[in-house]
Amino acid sequence: MRLFTAFELTPEVKEEVVHLQEELRPLPFRRWQPQRTLHVTLHFLGEVDARVRPDLEQTLRAACHGFGSFRLQLDRLGGFPSLKRPRTIWLGVAGQRDRLSALEALIRPRLVRLGIPLEARAYAPHITLARDPRSHVQVPDLHVREIAWTVSELVLFESTLQPGGAIHTPLARFALT
């Protein structure tokens, strides 16, 4: 199973993200993130043996219990590896990033103890907008409405790769109580 953990976006936030994608649509990217799959990833877990899932869910539930909700808001445009030479363009998140980072740091070692190898690079929360440019991209300076939302649950998703793009299926939800 190809898995990741993420936070879903509210309808208002998704609407703003889609609006920004439409403004950027003239850029020569091959793949644009569909509205139904917009999210903020916490951990990409990769291929995980289905037998690990019960322990994974118990671990995530325990980590989220007592953590409490927090607020995020849309931030500036960015790119990987950079906005000057983007292979991916994304929308950053601001707000209570310290709480977001604390949750990521709380869960990371627990996932490693389950035998799930995680990326070593620093956590960079974002919403992916588009990937894989056909040619050089000059990203315009767009105004981003700083819409805020409350993050009150973490979702474990299965990502199934299809020719038309990945299908993200929620497998379990964990309240940040």
Side-chain angles (χ1 to χ4, degrees):
M1 307 175 78
R2 187 172 187 260
L3 303 177
F4 67 95
T5 60
F7 307 107
E8 294 180 307
L9 308 178
T10 65
E12 181 186 21
V13 172
K14 279 188 177 185
E15 185 177 302
E16 177 64 11
V17 173
V18 169
H19 171 74
L20 290 167
Q21 283 180 311
E22 290 305 316
E23 287 190 53
L24 295 168
R25 196 65 73 169
L27 297 177
F29 281 90
R30 287 184 177 89
R31 294 185 297 155
W32 291 88
Q33 197 73 18
Q35 181 176 352
R36 71 182 185 282
T37 63
L38 294 170
H39 63 273
V40 177
T41 299
L42 188 63
H43 293 103
F44 178 74
L45 308 178
E47 288 296 328
V48 176
D49 188 311
R51 294 173 294 195
V52 174
R53 185 174 162 196
D55 291 337
L56 173 60
E57 288 186 18
Q58 181 179 0
T59 296
L60 294 173
R61 186 172 294 105
C64 291
H65 181 75
F67 189 84
S69 61
F70 53 92
R71 302 270 299 163
L72 294 178
Q73 73 181 37
L74 297 179
D75 198 18
R76 62 182 174 77
L77 285 175
F80 292 131
S82 73
L83 201 51
K84 291 185 191 272
R85 297 182 52 89
R87 302 288 305 148
T88 299
I89 52 173
W90 47 262
L91 190 56
V93 294
Q96 293 181 297
R97 281 188 53 152
D98 58 332
R99 300 272 297 139
L100 175 60
S101 295
L103 183 59
E104 191 278 335
L106 175 68
I107 293 175
R108 173 176 286 276
R110 296 173 186 213
L111 296 175
V112 172
R113 280 195 296 273
L114 287 176
I116 299 171
L118 300 175
E119 295 178 333
R121 63 182 165 188
Y123 178 56
H126 64 278
I127 302 164
T128 299
L129 302 179
R131 293 183 173 95
D132 198 15
R134 288 185 197 93
S135 60
H136 176 72
V137 174
Q138 180 68 38
V139 179
D141 186 22
L142 296 180
H143 170 73
V144 177
R145 288 180 38 222
E146 296 175 348
I147 300 171
W149 74 101
T150 299
V151 174
S152 57
E153 72 177 6
L154 178 66
V155 182
L156 175 64
F157 284 97
E158 180 175 16
S159 178
T160 306
L161 300 177
Q162 301 286 324
I167 304 295
H168 297 164
T169 306
L171 299 178
R173 297 176 182 278
F174 309 97
L176 298 172
T177 57

